[in-house]
Amino acid sequence: MACRVIRSLRGSWIRMALLALAVALALVVWQGPGGSPVQAQAGQVLRIVLDGAKNREAELQAVAGYLRQIGVDAQVRIWEYQTLIAEAQRGTRDAYATDWGSSTFSPFDLAIPKLRTGDRGNFSFYSNPDVDRLFELASTTVDEAVALDAYHRAQRILYEDAPWIFGYYLDTIEAASERVRNWRPSVDNRTNLHDVVLEGGDTLVVGMRADRIQSFDPADHRDRDTETVLRNIFDGLVTRTPDGQVVPEIAESWEQPDPTTYIFHLRRGIRFHDGEPLTAEDVVFTFERILSPTGLDGRQSPRLGLLGPLQRVEALDDYTVKMTLSAPSPVFLQLLVHTQIVPKDYLTRVGLAGFVEHPVGAGPFKFVQGRLDGDIVLERFDDYYGGSPDLPPVGPAPLRRVVFRMMPEPGARIAALLAGEVHIIHEVPPDAVAQLERARGVQVQVAPGTRLYAIEINNRRLTDPRVRQALNYAVDWETILRELYRGHAHRVATAFLPSGFGYDETLQPYPYDPDRARELLREAGYVVR
Amino acid sequence: MSGESGSLRVLRRLLAAIPLAAGIVLVTFALLRLLPGDPVDIMMGQAGNVSEAEIETLRRQLGLDRPIWEQAVHFARGMVRGDLGRSIRTARPVAALIGEALPATLELAAAALLFAVAVAVPVGVLSAVRHRSALDHLAMGTAFVGISMPAFWLGLVLILIFGVALGWLPTSGRIDPSLSVPAVTGFMLVDTLLARDPAAFRSALEHLVLPAVTLGAELAAVLSRVVRSSMLDVLQADYVRVARAKGVNEWRVVSRHALRNALVPAVTVLGLQVGILLGGNMIVETVFSWPGLGRLVVGAIFARDYPVVQGAVLLYALTFLAANLLVDVLYTVINPRMAMG
């Protein structure tokens, strides 16, 4: 029937177009069923739906199993990740598995955006004025002891309020051929190839976990994999050791005459890949491009937020740059690691389109050819100034040629490493570690990750902190994490990471205590088992 | 359709394709915007250091703050002018992104098609000629396995056998990275030929083998079954019996008299599958680290990069329409009686 209708329409242009238009309009007008905020009601069984993406399904099923053991009616639903996040932001979910990354090794971009009232990442709708005040104090004071104390107090409150079912962080697991020397994964996922040596070879291939990087312009992305590639082509004023310490790179030294002023002294004799010298002018240009709302051919750089409260950048002379902040920022230097210096003359001459066709930086490798989604080929820059003196060796890179290959399928990365086609691979799944450790000629290395995984709770729906605490007591996380992540997942007590500033080591994660969980639920008026 | 000439029919079909393609793209436009998730929010990621003001500025600059009908009109205007817009995620023109990814996909699809036809036609014909023989059973059994096997699994198994265990063939990428040649056409085989670099050509060819076999396996299986059954039909036909009665030798009967007619249903299947080869190869592209269109589109859907998805859907729609049209035309070439209608 429907077939006949469509067939009769097929000859006619206008009717077909009208049909399509009608369908489109109907779809646009229909907004989809919104979530009805249901208050959890006392005197009955607690019902909770755990939502998550495919990669967390096993974990959520296990958590739901533990919850059912104490009489909670727990269900699991699986979503495409971005759909889930959008729904959580609208407040239509009870509890959902999420993860959130930090790049400053500070609660500044982790606990604060996730748990401060009304912040961008806070879609558990948690709100506690005391926590807000402590966060405000900790993130603006220049007194480290005050900040530390404020963060510690905030963690105690968070622990009691239990806005989430607190989770864990995962190790960054990477593997390489045994011929690869002087390499280890960084806490910030960077693969610094400048220092790497390949025994018996000078062309090294990295198997990336991404299916594409976002740009060849270091000011035009918000993506770690992109940064991993670009930081081999471009250098910043400062960089970071694999353990997360900020050390000088293009800047030789700096001073901070007052809390909102930084003076950077640039290293002399640094050249870009096109032979032009790097001066204060290039540094000012780099930062002004990002600060300006129209810095990228009329668009705003997505990296503005990574400059923190930076307000003004000036060249005092050819090798001195002054930066003025609008407010003191304890994490400013950590943020600065993420801005790479671009050549003013070259970029202005070839334009943005020309620049992303053939990027030119001052980093250890120069661009040869490549596409965002394919092999990106770089070659050693022989006139390299040497890089950070804190990250030996200093001088031109030992490798002659490096290639970044986009390999989104983990099985393909592992096979290619075993076949000897690639030499370093990113993101090894925890279940593959044992196989790789047994394989000949392969090394597996681990660094603590900077993403926090949790099951967030909609605090507008589950308003009683006793219920949220009960959910934390009810789950045997040690067993779940051991079985699923083979020792590569580590619990945290709240929403702070041990690799970051302000972590309270004395605070222990919620223990597995189903009796306590039952007690709390009963107190809150629910039937338990 | 009697009385209508072939070329008029083709023209009519071409004209009908225009509103159809426009309708498909418009529906895609609407469906994408119904998907929960905001492209700018996704681009900024699940991480800190992002202010609401920053997100608002980006949304405004991308025109995402305007009402949906305005965005639709803007998009439709662009499409009429042949401008597919810019990718939200990478700020590059959609046409350029598709243009970059398409050759890799076409090269792979062509190789897979070649493999499928090269395997399926002889296997199908032999199975029909040696009907119910051990060879027939073996071939059709293999074909059955081939149809049932997921490409993802087959790809990984081939990688483990021929890449890791035997070390005969490369498992990822399009060419050995130490041999890169200038990208002129984007077709690696052509570019290596243009560069007059036999080692690079060989490397490109080797890199093509496993993905092409993986992508072509299912088609080869389907096709060999189709060729076999239509061949069986044709071999019973009167004109074949006549040819045999005239004393024409069996090889000639099969290759000249029967095969040509038996290929008509195969071409139909092929026409439908060509679209699938282009559109459905995302899995093969992922398993073999092959930078093609399928991966571009799936990544764009996850990133809610609306213009890229719209552009690619338009291309897919046109490909399917063109493939169907081509099948019609091919019918008349293979079997001139079809032209009569």
Side-chain angles (χ1 to χ4, degrees):
Chain A
M1 176 63 202
C3 250
R4 253 181 33 213
V5 171
I6 289 174
R7 208 169 296 155
S8 72
L9 280 170
R10 214 165 121 192
S12 156
W13 259 78
I14 299 165
R15 269 180 290 175
M16 191 64 211
L18 281 177
L19 179 73
L21 200 67
V23 172
L25 277 177
L27 288 170
V28 171
V29 171
W30 179 67
Q31 286 297 313
S36 48
V38 186
Q39 196 71 34
Q41 277 180 18
Q44 60 182 45
V45 170
L46 173 64
R47 284 174 210 288
I48 187 167
V49 179
L50 306 172
D51 290 303
K54 188 78 192 148
N55 63 333
R56 304 277 291 276
E57 186 176 7
E59 174 193 332
L60 287 177
Q61 292 291 3
V63 169
Y66 283 109
L67 294 181
R68 279 185 219 117
Q69 280 177 17
I70 60 161
V72 175
D73 177 2
Q75 303 295 327
V76 174
R77 292 186 303 200
I78 299 305
W79 302 83
E80 188 260 331
Y81 189 62
Q82 301 299 349
T83 303
L84 172 66
I85 295 297
E87 288 296 336
Q89 285 167 336
R90 290 172 60 196
T92 62
R93 297 294 178 263
D94 297 335
Y96 36 90
T98 57
D99 58 291
W100 187 270
S102 162
S103 51
T104 57
F105 301 90
S106 159
F108 169 75
D109 63 354
L110 185 63
I112 292 182
K114 287 306 287 178
L115 291 162
R116 183 162 63 186
T117 306
D119 215 317
R120 172 173 175 258
N122 185 350
F123 27 89
S124 56
F125 309 107
Y126 170 70
S127 174
N128 183 330
D130 293 333
V131 171
D132 290 346
R133 264 194 300 276
L134 290 167
F135 279 163
E136 181 64 25
L137 175 64
S139 59
T140 51
T141 180
V142 283
D143 185 336
E144 209 168 274
V146 171
L148 209 58
D149 179 61
Y151 279 138
H152 281 189
R153 278 158 58 200
Q155 281 166 86
R156 302 271 157 186
I157 301 175
L158 287 173
Y159 188 87
E160 290 302 320
D161 282 351
W164 306 343
I165 302 178
F166 293 120
Y168 54 93
Y169 68 91
L170 289 173
D171 286 336
T172 300
I173 312 170
E174 297 181 357
S177 152
E178 254 170 15
R179 291 161 54 210
V180 176
R181 300 273 177 222
N182 203 25
W183 159 83
R184 65 175 163 133
S186 302
V187 223
D188 61 355
N189 300 86
R190 182 187 180 198
T191 299
N192 173 10
L193 292 177
H194 168 247
D195 303 338
V196 169
V197 177
L198 180 66
E199 270 175 22
D202 57 2
T203 297
L204 181 134
V205 186
V206 180
M208 304 276 293
R209 62 179 178 179
D211 70 335
R212 60 170 46 234
I213 63 167
Q214 304 303 333
S215 177
F216 283 120
D217 178 354
D220 195 10
H221 70 90
R222 206 56 203 258
D223 176 57
R224 277 200 190 186
D225 296 301
T226 306
E227 195 173 312
T228 294
V229 174
L230 293 189
R231 278 173 66 184
N232 287 289
I233 309 176
F234 299 89
D235 276 1
L237 288 180
V238 293
T239 188
R240 208 182 263 138
T241 65
D243 304 314
Q245 291 300 312
V246 175
V247 292
E249 198 166 38
I250 284 173
E252 199 166 31
S253 63
W254 56 86
E255 64 229 38
Q256 197 179 2
D258 63 75
T260 56
T261 310
Y262 285 85
I263 311 268
F264 290 93
H265 303 283
L266 308 186
R267 222 172 282 281
R268 281 156 205 258
I270 297 181
R271 286 187 184 280
F272 287 110
H273 302 155
D274 64 349
E276 293 296 317
L278 185 154
T279 65
E281 226 188 319
D282 299 297
V283 176
V284 172
F285 176 76
T286 297
F287 283 91
E288 281 183 344
R289 258 180 110 215
I290 301 175
L291 286 172
S292 156
T294 52
L296 309 180
D297 272 5
R299 283 179 304 117
Q300 176 196 274
S301 163
R303 294 182 85 72
L304 176 63
L306 288 168
L307 298 185
L310 178 66
Q311 205 170 31
R312 210 169 52 246
V313 186
E314 312 151 73
L316 299 183
D317 60 50
D318 272 0
Y319 294 97
T320 315
V321 175
K322 179 181 164 194
M323 294 197 182
T324 314
L325 314 189
S326 60
S329 167
V331 295
F332 184 65
L333 287 174
Q334 283 286 2
L335 285 174
L336 220 47
V337 172
H338 299 280
T339 300
Q340 275 62 51
I341 307 302
V342 295
K344 181 185 178 186
D345 286 346
Y346 176 75
L347 213 164
T348 340
R349 195 171 68 241
V350 300
L352 190 56
F355 183 66
V356 294
E357 273 304 303
H358 195 101
V360 161
F365 297 96
K366 54 186 184 188
F367 179 83
V368 176
Q369 68 170 24
R371 269 166 43 186
L372 298 172
D373 59 347
D375 285 1
I376 297 166
V377 182
L378 313 180
E379 226 164 52
R380 173 174 56 214
F381 177 44
D382 290 321
D383 293 331
Y384 187 52
Y385 66 95
S388 173
D390 297 272
L391 291 171
V394 174
L399 291 169
R400 187 183 58 84
R401 193 180 175 92
V402 301
V403 180
F404 291 93
R405 176 167 286 180
M406 304 303 142
M407 307 182 73
E409 164 53 37
R413 291 199 292 275
I414 291 168
L417 178 69
L418 293 175
E421 281 171 50
V422 304
H423 308 95
I424 295 176
I425 58 171
H426 287 169
E427 204 170 284
V428 174
D431 7 356
V433 170
Q435 178 207 352
L436 281 176
E437 277 172 344
R438 275 196 312 272
R440 239 181 311 164
V442 170
Q443 51 177 324
V444 178
Q445 295 220 27
V446 166
T450 53
R451 284 198 92 76
L452 181 68
Y453 296 78
I455 300 174
E456 292 184 30
I457 300 170
N458 185 340
N459 283 238
R460 283 191 193 145
R461 288 196 176 181
L462 277 77
T463 49
D464 190 333
R466 287 172 302 188
V467 174
R468 302 192 301 256
Q469 285 173 0
L471 296 178
N472 274 286
Y473 279 119
V475 181
D476 183 359
W477 277 105
E478 294 303 332
T479 304
I480 295 177
L481 296 184
R482 190 179 60 238
E483 292 304 319
L484 291 180
Y485 298 113
R486 321 278 165 127
H488 290 290
H490 311 278
R491 283 197 76 197
V492 289
T494 63
F496 283 58
L497 289 175
S499 58
F501 180 76
Y503 179 73
D504 185 353
E505 282 167 17
T506 62
L507 200 58
Q508 290 302 311
Y510 274 87
Y512 174 48
D513 189 346
D515 291 332
R516 180 85 185 111
R518 286 192 188 92
E519 203 179 310
L520 284 163
L521 279 181
R522 222 178 275 123
E523 275 174 34
Y526 286 101
V527 180
V528 296
R529 191 162 66 204
Chain B
M1 298 223 183
S2 54
E4 195 177 7
S5 81
S7 55
L8 196 66
R9 203 162 60 126
V10 169
L11 189 70
R12 223 172 59 91
R13 292 280 303 272
L14 269 177
L15 287 178
I18 297 171
L20 201 59
I24 289 168
V25 172
L26 218 56
V27 170
T28 313
F29 182 94
L31 280 176
L32 277 173
R33 278 152 181 88
L34 275 180
L35 265 182
D38 173 77
V40 174
D41 200 44
I42 294 170
M43 175 164 81
M44 302 312 260
Q46 297 289 301
N49 308 323
V50 183
S51 70
E52 288 296 335
E54 214 179 330
I55 290 186
E56 280 319 303
T57 309
L58 281 168
R59 287 177 57 82
R60 198 181 62 246
Q61 289 174 344
L62 290 163
L64 292 169
D65 60 336
R66 284 186 248 151
I68 285 194
W69 66 267
E70 246 187 80
Q71 294 183 41
V73 168
H74 181 76
F75 171 67
R77 272 207 196 121
M79 218 169 64
V80 169
R81 288 196 313 263
D83 176 10
L84 294 173
R86 276 173 183 273
S87 153
I88 294 173
R89 193 80 189 244
T90 63
R92 300 196 54 217
V94 170
L97 282 174
I98 291 179
E100 268 180 15
L102 192 59
T105 293
L106 287 179
E107 192 169 64
L108 179 55
L113 195 66
L114 207 66
F115 164 76
V117 172
V119 170
V121 172
V123 167
V125 169
L126 273 177
S127 300
V129 173
R130 303 258 182 279
H131 186 40
R132 288 181 204 276
S133 68
L135 180 93
D136 181 23
H137 290 305
L138 180 71
M140 288 307 110
T142 313
F144 185 71
V145 174
I147 291 171
S148 321
M149 201 150 38
F152 178 80
W153 188 82
L154 177 65
L156 283 178
V157 167
L158 290 179
I159 285 178
L160 287 179
I161 296 174
F162 295 99
V164 179
L166 298 172
W168 290 352
L169 288 165
T171 67
S172 67
R174 298 177 69 190
I175 193 167
D176 187 317
S178 58
L179 291 169
S180 51
V181 293
V184 182
T185 62
F187 294 91
M188 204 49 98
L189 290 179
V190 179
D191 284 350
T192 49
L193 279 180
L194 287 177
R196 291 168 200 282
D197 186 342
F201 180 75
R202 198 193 136 109
S203 171
L205 207 56
E206 285 173 354
H207 279 78
L208 197 53
V209 175
L210 291 183
V213 169
T214 307
L215 184 60
E218 195 191 330
L219 179 56
V222 173
L223 211 56
S224 62
R225 290 176 71 95
V226 172
V227 170
R228 173 180 172 271
S229 34
S230 64
M231 198 69 190
L232 280 175
D233 270 359
V234 170
L235 287 175
Q236 310 296 322
D238 286 348
Y239 62 88
V240 171
R241 300 224 308 272
V242 170
R244 281 188 182 131
K246 283 200 303 192
V248 179
N249 82 31
E250 186 65 17
W251 165 245
R252 220 178 137 78
V253 169
V254 170
S255 65
R256 297 296 294 273
H257 297 258
L259 185 59
R260 202 175 163 130
N261 289 302
L263 280 184
V264 173
V267 168
T268 313
V269 170
L270 216 56
L272 293 174
Q273 293 276 333
V274 164
I276 293 171
L277 278 186
L278 289 181
N281 57 7
M282 188 278 284
I283 288 168
V284 176
E285 287 176 359
T286 302
V287 171
F288 289 96
S289 313
W290 193 268
L293 193 61
R295 250 170 55 185
L296 174 72
V297 176
V298 172
I301 293 172
F302 285 139
R304 308 290 189 266
D305 199 335
Y306 306 140
V308 176
V309 183
Q310 285 154 197
V313 167
L314 177 66
L315 182 74
Y316 286 145
L318 292 177
T319 311
F320 270 91
L321 293 171
N324 279 334
L325 195 62
L326 198 68
V327 168
D328 276 9
V329 175
L330 272 182
Y331 276 168
T332 57
V333 174
I334 296 175
N335 187 346
R337 276 180 306 168
M338 304 282 254
M340 299 314 195

